[in-house]
Amino acid sequence: MAPAVMAPAVMAPAVTAPSGAPAGIMAPAPSTAPRARRRPRPRGSFKRALRRAMREPFTRHAWQQVFYVILSLLVAIPLFVFTAVATTVGLAASVSFAGLPLLAAVLRAFRRLGAIFRRLAGRPPWPKIEEPPPPPPRARPGIAGWLRSSLTDPVSWRACGYLLLKLPIALIGLIGVIYMVAWGVGYSLFPLWWQLIHQLAVHGDPVQVPGWAAWWPPNPVLVATEIHSFALSFALIPAGLSTLLWAPLIVSGANELDRRLAARLLGPPLTQRVRDLEQTRASAVDDSAARLRRIERDLHDGAQAQMVAVAMKLGLAREKLGGAVTGTAEGAEGAEGAPGRTVEADLARALELIDAAHRSAKEAIIELRDLARGIHPPVLDHGLGTALETLAARSGVPVEVIADLPERPSAAIETIAYFCAAELLANVAKHSGARHATLEAVHVPGLLRLRVTDDGRGGIKVEPRGGLAGLVERLRTVDGTLEISSPRGGPSAVTIELPSRA
Protein backbone atom coordinates (compact mmCIF):
# COMPACT_ATOMS: atom_id res chain seq x y z
CA MET A 1 0.00 0.00 0.00
CA ALA A 2 1.46 3.30 -1.09
CA PRO A 3 1.99 5.80 1.65
CA ALA A 4 -0.27 8.85 1.63
CA VAL A 5 1.35 11.96 0.34
CA MET A 6 0.60 15.02 2.46
CA ALA A 7 0.42 18.41 0.71
CA PRO A 8 2.70 20.95 2.30
CA ALA A 9 0.85 23.43 4.42
CA VAL A 10 0.98 26.97 3.16
CA MET A 11 1.42 29.46 5.97
CA ALA A 12 -0.62 32.64 5.36
CA PRO A 13 1.36 35.79 5.95
CA ALA A 14 0.52 37.56 9.15
CA VAL A 15 -1.53 40.70 8.71
CA THR A 16 -0.57 43.51 10.99
CA ALA A 17 -2.11 46.92 11.25
CA PRO A 18 0.14 49.83 10.45
CA SER A 19 1.17 52.12 13.23
CA GLY A 20 -1.16 54.90 12.05
CA ALA A 21 -4.25 52.69 11.63
CA PRO A 22 -6.96 52.95 14.27
CA ALA A 23 -7.50 50.13 16.71
CA GLY A 24 -9.96 47.46 15.68
CA ILE A 25 -9.49 47.91 11.90
CA MET A 26 -7.39 45.28 10.18
CA ALA A 27 -5.10 46.61 7.48
CA PRO A 28 -4.68 44.71 4.19
CA ALA A 29 -1.71 42.44 3.80
CA PRO A 30 1.27 43.99 2.05
CA SER A 31 1.21 43.00 -1.59
CA THR A 32 4.29 41.65 -3.34
CA ALA A 33 2.85 42.34 -6.78
CA PRO A 34 4.43 45.16 -8.74
CA ARG A 35 2.85 48.53 -8.19
CA ALA A 36 0.42 49.56 -10.87
CA ARG A 37 1.67 52.15 -13.26
CA ARG A 38 0.36 55.63 -12.98
CA ARG A 39 -2.28 56.41 -15.54
CA PRO A 40 -0.82 58.63 -18.23
CA ARG A 41 -2.25 62.05 -18.75
CA PRO A 42 -4.58 62.38 -21.68
CA ARG A 43 -2.87 63.79 -24.70
CA GLY A 44 -3.35 67.49 -25.15
CA SER A 45 -4.13 68.24 -21.46
CA PHE A 46 -1.21 70.68 -21.16
CA LYS A 47 -2.31 72.48 -24.31
CA ARG A 48 -5.88 72.72 -23.04
CA ALA A 49 -4.71 74.11 -19.69
CA LEU A 50 -2.49 76.63 -21.48
CA ARG A 51 -5.33 77.72 -23.76
CA ARG A 52 -7.63 78.06 -20.74
CA ALA A 53 -5.05 80.19 -18.93
CA MET A 54 -4.57 82.35 -21.99
CA ARG A 55 -8.31 82.85 -22.42
CA GLU A 56 -8.85 83.74 -18.75
CA PRO A 57 -7.67 87.39 -19.03
CA PHE A 58 -10.21 87.95 -21.79
CA THR A 59 -13.21 86.38 -20.08
CA ARG A 60 -16.17 88.32 -18.75
CA HIS A 61 -15.18 87.58 -15.15
CA ALA A 62 -11.70 89.07 -15.64
CA TRP A 63 -13.05 92.27 -17.14
CA GLN A 64 -15.62 92.53 -14.34
CA GLN A 65 -12.68 92.40 -11.93
CA VAL A 66 -10.93 95.17 -13.86
CA PHE A 67 -14.11 97.25 -13.96
CA TYR A 68 -14.55 96.85 -10.19
CA VAL A 69 -10.97 98.02 -9.57
CA ILE A 70 -11.49 101.14 -11.68
CA LEU A 71 -14.87 101.84 -10.08
CA SER A 72 -13.44 101.27 -6.59
CA LEU A 73 -10.63 103.71 -7.29
CA LEU A 74 -13.05 106.38 -8.53
CA VAL A 75 -15.18 105.90 -5.42
CA ALA A 76 -12.32 105.44 -2.94
CA ILE A 77 -10.51 108.70 -3.73
CA PRO A 78 -13.31 111.11 -2.69
CA LEU A 79 -14.35 108.83 0.17
CA PHE A 80 -10.78 108.73 1.49
CA VAL A 81 -10.49 112.52 1.32
CA PHE A 82 -13.86 113.00 2.98
CA THR A 83 -13.15 110.42 5.70
CA ALA A 84 -9.68 111.72 6.48
CA VAL A 85 -10.75 115.37 6.60
CA ALA A 86 -13.98 114.70 8.51
CA THR A 87 -12.26 112.47 11.06
CA THR A 88 -9.42 114.93 11.62
CA VAL A 89 -11.77 117.92 11.98
CA GLY A 90 -14.18 115.96 14.17
CA LEU A 91 -11.47 114.72 16.53
CA ALA A 92 -9.88 118.15 16.71
CA ALA A 93 -13.23 119.79 17.44
CA SER A 94 -14.17 117.17 20.02
CA VAL A 95 -11.65 118.65 22.44
CA SER A 96 -14.40 121.07 23.35
CA PHE A 97 -17.90 119.95 24.19
CA ALA A 98 -19.30 121.97 21.29
CA GLY A 99 -17.41 119.79 18.80
CA LEU A 100 -18.89 116.49 19.99
CA PRO A 101 -22.08 116.85 17.91
CA LEU A 102 -19.92 117.33 14.79
CA LEU A 103 -17.96 114.14 15.50
CA ALA A 104 -21.19 112.26 16.20
CA ALA A 105 -22.69 113.46 12.90
CA VAL A 106 -19.52 112.40 11.07
CA LEU A 107 -19.70 108.92 12.60
CA ARG A 108 -23.36 108.62 11.63
CA ALA A 109 -22.35 109.56 8.07
CA PHE A 110 -19.70 106.81 8.10
CA ARG A 111 -22.33 104.31 9.19
CA ARG A 112 -24.64 105.39 6.34
CA LEU A 113 -21.83 105.01 3.80
CA GLY A 114 -21.06 101.52 5.12
CA ALA A 115 -24.73 100.63 4.78
CA ILE A 116 -24.64 101.81 1.15
CA PHE A 117 -21.71 99.53 0.41
CA ARG A 118 -23.54 96.64 2.06
CA ARG A 119 -26.62 97.27 -0.10
CA LEU A 120 -24.41 97.20 -3.20
CA ALA A 121 -22.88 93.87 -2.15
CA GLY A 122 -23.81 91.02 -4.46
CA ARG A 123 -24.73 93.28 -7.38
CA PRO A 124 -22.21 93.08 -10.24
CA PRO A 125 -19.46 94.09 -10.13
CA TRP A 126 -19.64 94.51 -6.34
CA PRO A 127 -18.55 91.34 -4.50
CA LYS A 128 -20.99 89.45 -2.34
CA ILE A 129 -20.70 89.72 1.46
CA GLU A 130 -21.78 86.60 3.32
CA GLU A 131 -21.84 88.19 6.77
CA PRO A 132 -25.24 89.36 8.09
CA PRO A 133 -25.85 93.11 8.35
CA PRO A 134 -24.96 94.88 11.61
CA PRO A 135 -27.72 95.81 14.05
CA PRO A 136 -29.27 99.28 13.95
CA PRO A 137 -27.85 101.90 16.35
CA ARG A 138 -29.19 101.75 19.86
CA ALA A 139 -31.75 104.47 20.40
CA ARG A 140 -31.35 106.47 23.62
CA PRO A 141 -33.56 109.36 24.70
CA GLY A 142 -32.40 112.95 24.55
CA ILE A 143 -29.47 114.71 22.90
CA ALA A 144 -27.02 113.23 25.40
CA GLY A 145 -28.27 109.73 24.57
CA TRP A 146 -27.91 110.40 20.84
CA LEU A 147 -24.35 111.67 21.34
CA ARG A 148 -23.41 108.68 23.49
CA SER A 149 -24.87 106.10 21.11
CA SER A 150 -23.19 107.77 18.11
CA LEU A 151 -19.76 108.16 19.69
CA THR A 152 -19.69 104.62 21.10
CA ASP A 153 -21.10 102.87 18.03
CA PRO A 154 -18.51 100.26 16.93
CA VAL A 155 -20.14 99.87 13.52
CA SER A 156 -19.46 103.54 12.66
CA TRP A 157 -15.80 103.35 13.70
CA ARG A 158 -15.24 100.16 11.71
CA ALA A 159 -16.94 101.72 8.67
CA CYS A 160 -14.49 104.61 9.02
CA GLY A 161 -11.61 102.13 8.94
CA TYR A 162 -13.00 100.48 5.82
CA LEU A 163 -13.38 103.81 3.99
CA LEU A 164 -9.75 104.67 4.80
CA LEU A 165 -8.35 101.29 3.75
CA LYS A 166 -10.33 101.02 0.53
CA LEU A 167 -8.05 103.43 -1.35
CA PRO A 168 -4.76 101.51 -0.74
CA ILE A 169 -6.45 98.25 -1.78
CA ALA A 170 -7.82 99.91 -4.94
CA LEU A 171 -4.33 101.20 -5.75
CA ILE A 172 -2.96 97.65 -5.50
CA GLY A 173 -5.63 96.48 -7.92
CA LEU A 174 -4.82 99.41 -10.22
CA ILE A 175 -1.19 98.28 -10.36
CA GLY A 176 -2.39 94.89 -11.55
CA VAL A 177 -4.58 96.53 -14.20
CA ILE A 178 -1.68 98.69 -15.42
CA TYR A 179 0.59 95.67 -15.75
CA MET A 180 -2.13 93.69 -17.48
CA VAL A 181 -2.84 96.43 -20.03
CA ALA A 182 0.60 97.99 -20.51
CA TRP A 183 2.81 94.93 -20.19
CA GLY A 184 0.38 92.16 -21.06
CA VAL A 185 -1.43 93.66 -24.02
CA GLY A 186 1.43 96.02 -24.98
CA TYR A 187 4.20 93.42 -25.13
CA SER A 188 1.94 90.71 -26.58
CA LEU A 189 1.34 93.05 -29.54
CA PHE A 190 4.80 94.61 -29.35
CA PRO A 191 5.73 94.11 -33.05
CA LEU A 192 2.69 96.17 -34.06
CA TRP A 193 3.69 98.94 -31.65
CA TRP A 194 7.26 98.87 -32.94
CA GLN A 195 6.17 99.04 -36.57
CA LEU A 196 3.76 101.92 -35.94
CA ILE A 197 6.22 103.99 -33.89
CA HIS A 198 9.08 103.57 -36.38
CA GLN A 199 6.86 104.33 -39.35
CA LEU A 200 5.84 107.59 -37.68
CA ALA A 201 9.48 108.37 -36.92
CA VAL A 202 10.44 107.82 -40.57
CA HIS A 203 7.80 110.30 -41.70
CA GLY A 204 9.04 112.89 -39.20
CA ASP A 205 6.36 112.44 -36.57
CA PRO A 206 8.16 110.88 -33.61
CA VAL A 207 6.02 109.67 -30.74
CA GLN A 208 6.42 111.77 -27.59
CA VAL A 209 5.90 110.05 -24.23
CA PRO A 210 4.08 112.24 -21.65
CA GLY A 211 6.06 113.25 -18.63
CA TRP A 212 3.73 111.46 -16.22
CA ALA A 213 4.44 108.15 -18.02
CA ALA A 214 8.14 108.67 -18.80
CA TRP A 215 9.23 107.76 -15.26
CA TRP A 216 8.25 104.11 -15.82
CA PRO A 217 11.22 102.45 -17.61
CA PRO A 218 9.30 99.33 -18.80
CA ASN A 219 6.91 101.57 -20.76
CA PRO A 220 6.34 99.78 -24.09
CA VAL A 221 6.62 103.03 -26.04
CA LEU A 222 10.02 103.85 -24.53
CA VAL A 223 11.23 100.31 -25.11
CA ALA A 224 10.05 100.45 -28.73
CA THR A 225 12.08 103.63 -29.37
CA GLU A 226 15.23 101.95 -28.05
CA ILE A 227 14.93 98.74 -30.09
CA HIS A 228 16.07 99.21 -33.70
CA SER A 229 15.40 95.72 -35.06
CA PHE A 230 11.97 94.49 -36.06
CA ALA A 231 13.04 90.86 -35.51
CA LEU A 232 14.16 91.67 -31.96
CA SER A 233 10.70 93.03 -31.15
CA PHE A 234 9.28 89.49 -31.29
CA ALA A 235 11.48 88.52 -28.32
CA LEU A 236 9.24 90.53 -25.97
CA ILE A 237 6.04 88.66 -26.85
CA PRO A 238 6.66 85.91 -24.18
CA ALA A 239 7.01 88.65 -21.55
CA GLY A 240 3.61 90.01 -22.52
CA LEU A 241 1.96 86.59 -22.53
CA SER A 242 3.39 85.73 -19.11
CA THR A 243 2.16 89.06 -17.75
CA LEU A 244 -1.34 88.21 -18.96
CA LEU A 245 -1.13 85.14 -16.74
CA TRP A 246 0.01 86.69 -13.44
CA ALA A 247 -1.32 90.26 -13.59
CA PRO A 248 -5.01 89.20 -13.27
CA LEU A 249 -4.04 87.44 -10.05
CA ILE A 250 -3.08 90.81 -8.53
CA VAL A 251 -6.43 92.27 -9.59
CA SER A 252 -8.50 89.38 -8.25
CA GLY A 253 -6.39 89.26 -5.05
CA ALA A 254 -7.01 92.95 -4.39
CA ASN A 255 -10.74 92.50 -4.98
CA GLU A 256 -10.84 89.48 -2.67
CA LEU A 257 -8.99 91.47 0.02
CA ASP A 258 -11.55 94.25 -0.39
CA ARG A 259 -14.41 91.75 -0.03
CA ARG A 260 -12.95 90.20 3.11
CA LEU A 261 -12.26 93.60 4.61
CA ALA A 262 -15.82 94.70 3.86
CA ALA A 263 -17.22 91.51 5.38
CA ARG A 264 -15.11 91.98 8.52
CA LEU A 265 -15.54 95.74 9.02
CA LEU A 266 -19.03 96.25 7.62
CA GLY A 267 -20.46 93.10 9.16
CA PRO A 268 -21.86 92.62 12.65
CA PRO A 269 -19.59 93.33 15.63
CA LEU A 270 -18.34 90.63 17.93
CA THR A 271 -21.10 91.30 20.45
CA GLN A 272 -23.77 90.52 17.87
CA ARG A 273 -21.98 87.34 16.84
CA VAL A 274 -21.92 86.26 20.48
CA ARG A 275 -25.62 87.11 20.63
CA ASP A 276 -26.24 84.94 17.57
CA LEU A 277 -24.39 82.09 19.25
CA GLU A 278 -26.53 82.57 22.34
CA GLN A 279 -29.64 82.37 20.17
CA THR A 280 -28.28 79.20 18.59
CA ARG A 281 -27.75 77.66 21.99
CA ALA A 282 -31.22 78.81 23.03
CA SER A 283 -32.69 77.09 19.98
CA ALA A 284 -30.80 73.96 21.04
CA VAL A 285 -32.40 74.13 24.47
CA ASP A 286 -35.81 74.69 22.90
CA ASP A 287 -35.24 71.76 20.56
CA SER A 288 -34.37 69.54 23.54
CA ALA A 289 -37.47 70.68 25.40
CA ALA A 290 -39.68 70.03 22.36
CA ARG A 291 -38.15 66.60 21.97
CA LEU A 292 -38.84 65.77 25.59
CA ARG A 293 -42.44 66.92 25.16
CA ARG A 294 -42.77 64.76 22.07
CA ILE A 295 -41.39 61.76 23.93
CA GLU A 296 -43.81 62.36 26.79
CA ARG A 297 -46.70 62.61 24.32
CA ASP A 298 -45.62 59.42 22.56
CA LEU A 299 -45.40 57.62 25.86
CA HIS A 300 -48.82 58.90 26.91
CA ASP A 301 -50.63 58.21 23.65
CA GLY A 302 -48.75 55.09 22.61
CA ALA A 303 -47.09 52.90 25.19
CA GLN A 304 -49.28 54.03 28.08
CA ALA A 305 -52.47 53.37 26.11
CA GLN A 306 -51.16 49.93 25.18
CA MET A 307 -50.43 49.11 28.80
CA VAL A 308 -53.91 50.32 29.82
CA ALA A 309 -55.41 48.01 27.23
CA VAL A 310 -53.31 45.16 28.60
CA ALA A 311 -54.58 45.86 32.11
CA MET A 312 -58.23 45.92 30.98
CA LYS A 313 -57.93 42.69 28.99
CA LEU A 314 -56.18 40.95 31.84
CA GLY A 315 -58.96 42.14 34.18
CA LEU A 316 -61.62 40.71 31.89
CA ALA A 317 -59.65 37.50 31.64
CA ARG A 318 -59.51 37.27 35.40
CA GLU A 319 -63.28 37.71 35.68
CA LYS A 320 -63.91 35.07 33.03
CA LEU A 321 -61.56 32.66 34.68
CA GLY A 322 -63.26 33.34 38.03
CA GLY A 323 -66.66 32.65 36.48
CA ALA A 324 -65.33 29.53 34.85
CA VAL A 325 -64.06 28.22 38.15
CA THR A 326 -67.45 28.90 39.80
CA GLY A 327 -69.30 27.27 36.92
CA THR A 328 -67.08 24.25 37.14
CA ALA A 329 -67.80 23.89 40.84
CA GLU A 330 -71.57 24.16 40.31
CA GLY A 331 -71.48 21.84 37.32
CA ALA A 332 -69.88 19.14 39.34
CA GLU A 333 -73.09 18.92 41.45
CA GLY A 334 -75.65 19.24 38.61
CA ALA A 335 -76.07 17.77 35.16
CA GLU A 336 -73.05 17.23 33.02
CA GLY A 337 -74.25 18.81 29.66
CA ALA A 338 -74.88 22.58 29.61
CA PRO A 339 -72.59 23.63 32.49
CA GLY A 340 -69.69 21.83 30.89
CA ARG A 341 -70.16 23.66 27.58
CA THR A 342 -70.40 27.02 29.38
CA VAL A 343 -67.18 26.39 31.29
CA GLU A 344 -65.40 25.37 28.10
CA ALA A 345 -66.54 28.51 26.24
CA ASP A 346 -65.52 30.79 29.10
CA LEU A 347 -62.12 29.18 29.27
CA ALA A 348 -61.65 29.59 25.50
CA ARG A 349 -62.66 33.26 25.71
CA ALA A 350 -60.27 33.77 28.60
CA LEU A 351 -57.46 32.26 26.58
CA GLU A 352 -58.23 34.60 23.67
CA LEU A 353 -58.14 37.62 25.96
CA ILE A 354 -54.87 36.48 27.48
CA ASP A 355 -53.34 36.00 24.02
CA ALA A 356 -54.47 39.48 22.96
CA ALA A 357 -53.04 40.93 26.15
CA HIS A 358 -49.77 39.14 25.49
CA ARG A 359 -49.53 40.59 21.99
CA SER A 360 -50.34 44.08 23.23
CA ALA A 361 -47.70 43.77 25.92
CA LYS A 362 -45.08 42.73 23.36
CA GLU A 363 -46.02 45.64 21.10
CA ALA A 364 -45.78 48.03 24.04
CA ILE A 365 -42.35 46.68 24.92
CA ILE A 366 -41.13 47.14 21.33
CA GLU A 367 -42.48 50.69 21.22
CA LEU A 368 -40.87 51.57 24.53
CA ARG A 369 -37.60 50.12 23.26
CA ASP A 370 -37.78 52.24 20.09
CA LEU A 371 -38.49 55.34 22.13
CA ALA A 372 -35.52 54.60 24.36
CA ARG A 373 -33.32 54.16 21.33
CA GLY A 374 -34.58 57.48 20.00
CA ILE A 375 -33.39 59.18 23.17
CA HIS A 376 -29.99 57.48 23.39
CA PRO A 377 -29.03 54.40 21.33
CA PRO A 378 -27.47 51.80 23.65
CA VAL A 379 -24.97 50.78 20.97
CA LEU A 380 -23.24 54.15 21.44
CA ASP A 381 -22.00 52.91 24.79
CA HIS A 382 -19.44 50.89 22.82
CA GLY A 383 -18.29 53.82 20.72
CA LEU A 384 -19.32 55.60 17.53
CA GLY A 385 -17.41 53.20 15.27
CA THR A 386 -19.33 50.19 16.57
CA ALA A 387 -22.61 52.08 16.30
CA LEU A 388 -21.90 52.98 12.66
CA GLU A 389 -21.05 49.37 11.84
CA THR A 390 -24.37 48.32 13.38
CA LEU A 391 -26.20 50.86 11.22
CA ALA A 392 -24.40 49.58 8.14
CA ALA A 393 -25.34 46.00 8.97
CA ARG A 394 -29.03 46.95 9.27
CA SER A 395 -29.08 48.93 6.03
CA GLY A 396 -30.94 47.59 2.99
CA VAL A 397 -27.97 48.58 0.78
CA PRO A 398 -24.46 47.12 1.18
CA VAL A 399 -22.49 49.73 3.10
CA GLU A 400 -18.72 49.89 3.56
CA VAL A 401 -17.66 51.55 6.83
CA ILE A 402 -14.36 53.44 7.03
CA ALA A 403 -13.75 54.69 10.55
CA ASP A 404 -10.75 56.62 11.82
CA LEU A 405 -11.67 57.61 15.37
CA PRO A 406 -8.54 57.76 17.51
CA GLU A 407 -10.47 59.48 20.30
CA ARG A 408 -14.14 59.79 21.18
CA PRO A 409 -15.99 63.09 20.80
CA SER A 410 -18.47 64.22 23.41
CA ALA A 411 -21.63 62.19 24.01
CA ALA A 412 -23.92 64.80 22.43
CA ILE A 413 -21.81 64.93 19.27
CA GLU A 414 -21.77 61.13 19.04
CA THR A 415 -25.55 61.03 19.35
CA ILE A 416 -26.05 63.67 16.65
CA ALA A 417 -23.58 61.91 14.34
CA TYR A 418 -25.36 58.58 14.89
CA PHE A 419 -28.80 59.96 14.02
CA CYS A 420 -27.39 61.83 11.01
CA ALA A 421 -25.79 58.64 9.71
CA ALA A 422 -29.02 56.71 10.31
CA GLU A 423 -31.04 59.30 8.37
CA LEU A 424 -28.57 59.41 5.48
CA LEU A 425 -28.40 55.61 5.16
CA ALA A 426 -32.19 55.42 5.30
CA ASN A 427 -32.40 57.95 2.47
CA VAL A 428 -29.90 55.94 0.44
CA ALA A 429 -31.95 52.77 0.89
CA LYS A 430 -35.31 54.43 0.15
CA HIS A 431 -34.71 57.03 -2.53
CA SER A 432 -31.33 56.73 -4.23
CA GLY A 433 -31.62 53.37 -6.00
CA ALA A 434 -27.95 52.78 -5.15
CA ARG A 435 -26.27 49.39 -5.19
CA HIS A 436 -23.44 50.31 -2.85
CA ALA A 437 -22.71 53.01 -0.29
CA THR A 438 -19.74 54.10 1.78
CA LEU A 439 -19.88 55.55 5.28
CA GLU A 440 -16.76 57.40 6.41
CA ALA A 441 -16.16 58.79 9.89
CA VAL A 442 -12.94 60.71 10.58
CA HIS A 443 -12.10 62.48 13.80
CA VAL A 444 -9.31 65.02 13.97
CA PRO A 445 -8.64 67.34 16.91
CA GLY A 446 -11.61 69.67 17.13
CA LEU A 447 -13.60 68.23 14.21
CA LEU A 448 -15.69 65.15 13.41
CA ARG A 449 -16.34 64.60 9.71
CA LEU A 450 -19.04 62.18 8.55
CA ARG A 451 -19.50 61.40 4.85
CA VAL A 452 -21.97 59.11 3.08
CA THR A 453 -21.43 58.41 -0.63
CA ASP A 454 -23.48 56.21 -2.94
CA ASP A 455 -23.68 55.31 -6.64
CA GLY A 456 -27.38 56.14 -6.95
CA ARG A 457 -29.27 58.40 -9.29
CA GLY A 458 -28.27 61.64 -7.53
CA GLY A 459 -30.27 64.85 -7.45
CA ILE A 460 -30.27 65.17 -3.65
CA LYS A 461 -31.40 68.52 -2.29
CA VAL A 462 -32.75 69.88 0.96
CA GLU A 463 -36.53 69.96 0.85
CA PRO A 464 -38.60 71.96 3.36
CA ARG A 465 -39.84 69.72 6.17
CA GLY A 466 -37.77 66.86 4.77
CA GLY A 467 -35.28 64.60 6.46
CA LEU A 468 -32.26 66.63 5.35
CA ALA A 469 -33.92 69.84 6.57
CA GLY A 470 -34.27 68.19 9.97
CA LEU A 471 -30.57 67.29 9.87
CA VAL A 472 -29.67 70.89 9.08
CA GLU A 473 -31.67 72.08 12.08
CA ARG A 474 -30.10 69.40 14.28
CA LEU A 475 -26.60 70.39 13.12
CA ARG A 476 -27.32 74.08 13.63
CA THR A 477 -27.68 73.53 17.36
CA VAL A 478 -23.95 72.68 17.61
CA ASP A 479 -22.68 74.89 14.72
CA GLY A 480 -22.34 71.91 12.42
CA THR A 481 -22.49 72.06 8.62
CA LEU A 482 -24.00 69.88 5.89
CA GLU A 483 -22.65 69.89 2.33
CA ILE A 484 -24.27 68.07 -0.59
CA SER A 485 -22.65 67.10 -3.89
CA SER A 486 -25.23 65.23 -5.93
CA PRO A 487 -25.38 65.87 -9.68
CA ARG A 488 -28.11 64.29 -11.77
CA GLY A 489 -27.14 60.70 -12.49
CA GLY A 490 -24.87 60.46 -9.45
CA PRO A 491 -22.72 59.74 -7.64
CA SER A 492 -23.86 61.50 -4.46
CA ALA A 493 -21.87 62.60 -1.44
CA VAL A 494 -23.24 64.18 1.73
CA THR A 495 -20.60 65.54 4.13
CA ILE A 496 -21.35 66.52 7.72
CA GLU A 497 -18.86 68.36 9.90
CA LEU A 498 -19.34 68.67 13.65
CA PRO A 499 -17.21 70.14 16.42
CA SER A 500 -15.69 67.55 18.72
CA ARG A 501 -17.27 69.14 21.75
CA ALA A 502 -20.76 70.61 21.91
Side-chain angles (χ1 to χ4, degrees):
M1 187 172 182
V5 179
M6 301 291 292
V10 180
M11 184 68 70
V15 179
T16 58
S19 59
I25 299 179
M26 182 171 290
S31 175
T32 58
R35 184 176 297 178
R37 293 184 178 181
R38 189 177 181 180
R39 294 183 59 184
R41 288 184 177 180
R43 298 185 62 181
S45 60
F46 176 75
K47 294 181 179 179
R48 287 196 298 270
L50 183 60
R51 285 197 299 266
R52 191 185 308 113
M54 294 300 297
R55 285 196 305 264
E56 182 63 26
F58 305 99
T59 59
R60 181 180 178 183
H61 175 72
W63 289 109
Q64 282 184 347
Q65 298 279 336
V66 173
F67 178 62
Y68 178 71
V69 167
I70 298 174
L71 186 61
S72 294
L73 185 64
L74 295 177
V75 173
I77 292 175
L79 286 179
F80 179 85
V81 174
F82 168 74
T83 305
V85 173
T87 305
T88 303
V89 173
L91 290 176
S94 64
V95 177
S96 62
F97 182 78
L100 291 179
L102 176 61
L103 181 59
V106 167
L107 290 175
R108 285 297 179 108
F110 293 159
R111 185 185 180 99
R112 292 290 182 86
L113 291 174
I116 292 174
F117 279 104
R118 283 203 59 88
R119 282 196 296 269
L120 292 175
R123 302 177 183 178
W126 303 97
K128 186 176 181 180
I129 300 177
E130 301 292 344
E131 296 290 337
R138 183 180 299 178
R140 291 176 177 172
I143 298 178
W146 180 82
L147 286 174
R148 182 180 178 185
S149 62
S150 301
L151 296 175
T152 59
D153 184 18
V155 178
S156 300
W157 288 105
R158 291 186 304 142
C160 175
Y162 172 74
L163 297 175
L164 291 175
L165 294 175
K166 188 174 180 60
L167 179 59
I169 296 175
L171 290 176
I172 295 175
L174 180 64
I175 292 174
V177 172
I178 293 175
Y179 272 100
M180 187 168 61
V181 175
W183 269 34
V185 179
Y187 284 158
S188 298
L189 305 176
F190 190 74
L192 299 179
W193 287 93
W194 189 93
Q195 188 70 20
L196 177 62
I197 291 173
H198 282 267
Q199 287 294 332
L200 292 175
V202 169
H203 291 83
D205 296 324
V207 177
Q208 299 293 332
V209 180
W212 59 269
W215 64 271
W216 193 41
N219 192 312
V221 179
L222 293 177
V223 175
T225 57
E226 296 177 359
I227 294 179
H228 303 287
S229 173
F230 180 68
L232 188 59
S233 65
F234 287 89
L236 293 176
I237 293 179
L241 296 178
S242 63
T243 305
L244 287 177
L245 296 179
W246 58 262
L249 299 179
I250 299 178
V251 178
S252 60
N255 292 340
E256 178 65 18
L257 180 60
D258 181 74
R259 186 193 67 81
R260 293 190 178 185
L261 192 67
R264 182 63 61 88
L265 296 181
L266 301 181
L270 181 60
T271 55
Q272 184 179 358
R273 296 181 183 179
V274 173
R275 196 178 302 114
D276 293 339
L277 291 177
E278 291 176 351
Q279 292 176 357
T280 303
R281 294 295 179 263
S283 65
V285 174
D286 294 340
D287 179 71
S288 300
R291 191 174 306 165
L292 290 176
R293 288 194 299 269
R294 186 173 63 251
I295 292 173
E296 187 271 336
R297 187 168 58 252
D298 292 340
L299 288 173
H300 182 272
D301 299 336
Q304 184 175 347
Q306 293 283 352
M307 298 306 296
V308 169
V310 169
M312 293 176 62
K313 292 174 182 178
L314 289 177
L316 292 174
R318 184 180 60 183
E319 293 177 1
K320 290 293 183 180
L321 287 177
V325 172
T326 304
T328 302
E330 294 176 353
E333 300 174 355
E336 296 179 356
R341 287 194 298 270
T342 303
V343 171
E344 184 179 355
D346 290 341
L347 290 176
R349 177 59 179 165
L351 289 177
E352 291 177 0
L353 292 172
I354 292 175
D355 290 339
H358 188 213
R359 287 194 300 270
S360 299
K362 290 194 294 184
E363 291 174 0
I365 292 173
I366 293 174
E367 189 171 352
L368 286 173
R369 187 179 301 165
D370 292 338
L371 288 174
R373 287 176 179 173
I375 299 172
H376 179 75
V379 70
L380 280 178
D381 296 337
H382 304 286
L384 182 60
T386 304
L388 296 180
E389 291 177 358
T390 304
L391 282 177
R394 295 175 182 172
S395 177
V397 177
V399 179
E400 179 185 3
V401 179
I402 302 175
D404 184 9
L405 304 169
E407 60 177 322
R408 297 186 62 174
S410 63
I413 296 300
E414 280 190 340
T415 304
I416 293 176
Y418 175 86
F419 286 121
C420 290
E423 178 67 24
L424 293 177
L425 292 181
N427 289 343
V428 170
K430 292 179 181 178
H431 309 296
S432 69
R435 293 175 295 177
H436 182 268
T438 303
L439 174 59
E440 301 177 50
V442 179
H443 181 245
V444 296
L447 182 67
L448 175 64
R449 182 180 293 109
L450 195 70
R451 178 177 298 158
V452 176
T453 58
D454 65 83
D455 56 355
R457 63 179 65 96
I460 300 174
K461 58 182 180 179
V462 179
E463 297 286 350
R465 299 183 180 179
L468 292 180
L471 290 188
V472 172
E473 290 297 325
R474 186 189 291 267
L475 293 173
R476 185 175 178 271
T477 60
V478 291
D479 294 336
T481 60
L482 184 142
E483 182 180 358
I484 299 175
S485 174
S486 180
R488 289 289 181 182
S492 301
V494 181
T495 304
I496 290 174
E497 291 185 353
L498 295 164
S500 298
R501 305 293 172 187

